[in-house]
Amino acid sequence: MRCSLFLLSPVAAFVLAAPTVAAPVSLLPAQPETAQSPARLAPLAADSAWRPRFEAAAAELTAALQSRDEARWVPMLGGAWLAAADRDRVKNLLRDRNSPFLHALFSKGFTHQALFGWSAPASLNADERAAIEAGQEAEALLCWKAGGLGDGPWPATAREADNRPGRPYACARIAYSIRGDTPTWRAFIE
């Protein structure tokens, strides 16, 4: 017993001598962030430098999805990086009777498509808007709807482009990049 107390005394002395450390202070703001309303969508401007690129991507994606040929649409949705669960989800969207894709892309009526971008804040000046237009990357939403004249309802925000059953339209997000030697794009179906 005497030996064990003797051996423990240096440990106890070290523990008692160690300074007490205060709890770490958070680097995050203490006040909750104010909720912002989601950014509104607007039709992609006809004079946008990005419009021809997105129209070409939209035509390729539409044809690939309408073919229902997995070998055609998988490369556009991520190829080898498309998770098996995401691949199955897209396959189900293309054949499920309650899916907005089934009605929008495979209806006997005329399929309308629309390209949407995010509305730029009114606070942007002309130089800031030109810088966005001249950028090397951009995103747009491609939506399809069957029948009618192609007028509404379309999604008003990206959140509404979620492809839930019962939506009168189906949507995909296209991310386009002109970085590097070859322009590339990839589609996402949420």
Side-chain angles (χ1 to χ4, degrees), residues 33-52:
E33 292 184 25
T34 57
Q36 296 181 4
S37 59
R40 306 287 299 167
L41 296 175
L44 202 58
D47 62 346
S48 170
W50 288 98
R51 188 163 187 96

Side-chain angles (χ1 to χ4, degrees), residues 126-179:
D127 291 338
E128 291 168 323
R129 289 177 190 271
I132 292 171
E133 189 71 20
Q136 293 184 311
E137 295 176 347
E139 285 190 3
L141 280 175
L142 165 63
C143 297
W144 304 274
K145 182 179 159 251
L149 300 173
D151 52 349
W154 291 105
T157 65
R159 179 175 287 173
E160 293 176 9
D162 60 2
N163 299 314
R164 278 191 326 204
R167 294 276 194 212
Y169 47 76
C171 299
R173 181 171 49 93
I174 299 174
Y176 209 108
S177 174
I178 54 173
R179 293 182 187 272

Side-chain angles (χ1 to χ4, degrees), residues 65-112:
L65 291 173
Q66 285 178 325
S67 76
R68 291 187 175 150
D69 181 1
E70 213 174 314
R72 286 184 64 188
W73 56 259
V74 164
M76 296 173 193
L77 297 175
W81 295 278
L82 183 64
D86 291 331
R87 181 186 301 230
D88 289 341
R89 188 175 50 78
V90 172
K91 277 195 292 194
N92 289 335
L93 283 172
L94 295 176
R95 66 175 177 228
D96 180 5
R97 298 187 85 185
N98 296 320
S99 164
F101 278 87
L102 192 64
H103 180 66
L105 288 174
F106 304 104
S107 171
K108 292 179 181 171
F110 185 74
T111 296
H112 301 279

